[in-house]
Amino acid sequence: MGAMTVGSPTAFAAIVCNTTPITIPQNIDGVYLNLVTNATGTTGTGTVGWDFNPYASSSNTLLSFNGATGSGYVSSGGVISALASGTPIDASSTYLTGIQTSATAMGTYRAGVTSATYLGFRLTEGGNTYYGWLNLTTAGPNGFPATINSYCYQNTPNTQITAGTTPVSLQQFSVD
């Protein structure tokens, strides 16, 4: 009698999420977030490998830095977009890269967004590009109070994700 083993030569793609809300302090440091390790901190040097740093400018309006070269936020016309659930995020999206300290870049989020919208991003880790989304809630007119409600990214390089997509393990089902 023989045994049969079934295996895969490659790992399955997975969506990795964090659903613990993170309050964005309304100060010049804000919060530094490493999207891969879920580490947060109040300084860039204290948060190794940070990817996203929302903070308050000297005029108390919401601004943001992004970490690694090549990382960026889905945008249109120089403004970071508030995406609807189901919007694809991948290499075909337009990205605003570099340090986003202009009032224009975060304008949509300073005006106030609800948890029904998503900020699409790409990040680079180890020379690879990953796509994901952050779910934020902000209030107008300056963007505060602000909270990162959750975020997810596709852990297979160069693989599309859609805004709001979560793994089956995070979804709720009912049987009628």
Side-chain angles (χ1 to χ4, degrees), residues 143-170:
F144 288 98
T147 303
I148 300 169
N149 302 308
S150 59
Y151 58 89
C152 293
Y153 70 95
Q154 180 60 258
N155 77 346
T156 301
N158 303 311
T159 302
Q160 180 188 77
I161 190 170
T162 56
T165 298
T166 59
V168 172
S169 62
L170 293 177

Side-chain angles (χ1 to χ4, degrees), residues 2 6-7 9 11 31-32 35 39 49 63 65 71 89 94 104 108-109 114 123 138-139 153 155 163 176:
V6 177
V31 64
Y32 289 81
L35 296 162
L63 297 176
F65 285 115
S71 295
I89 303 164
T94 300
T104 303
T108 302
Y109 288 88
T114 67
L123 63 95
T138 66
Y153 70 95
N155 77 346
D176 295 329

Side-chain angles (χ1 to χ4, degrees), residues 52 58 85 96 119 141:
F52 183 54
S58 58
S85 180
L96 193 56
L119 184 154

Side-chain angles (χ1 to χ4, degrees), residues 8-152:
S8 171
T10 59
F12 289 101
I15 296 171
V16 179
C17 297
N18 182 355
T19 58
T20 303
I22 302 166
T23 300
I24 301 170
Q26 190 173 358
N27 61 41
I28 196 69
D29 297 315
V31 64
Y32 289 81
L33 172 60
N34 181 316
L35 296 162
V36 175
T37 66
N38 300 323
T40 61
T42 57
T43 67
T45 56
T47 313
V48 176
W50 66 271
D51 302 296
F52 183 54
N53 170 226
Y55 66 99
S57 69
S58 58
S59 61
N60 287 320
T61 59
L62 181 65
L63 297 176
S64 175
F65 285 115
N66 57 318
T69 302
S71 295
Y73 309 118
V74 174
S75 65
S76 176
V79 178
I80 299 169
S81 302
L83 305 175
S85 180
T87 303
I89 303 164
D90 59 22
S92 68
S93 302
T94 300
Y95 291 91
L96 193 56
T97 60
I99 299 170
Q100 302 310 316
T101 58
S102 78
T104 303
M106 290 296 288
T108 302
Y109 288 88
R110 281 197 332 277
V113 295
T114 67
S115 60
T117 58
Y118 301 88
L119 184 154
F121 66 84
R122 72 176 180 203
L123 63 95
T124 56
E125 296 283 333
N128 293 311
T129 301
Y130 302 89
Y131 301 100
W133 55 261
L134 288 139
N135 177 252
L136 299 169
T137 303
T138 66
N142 66 356
F144 288 98
T147 303
I148 300 169
N149 302 308
S150 59
Y151 58 89
C152 293

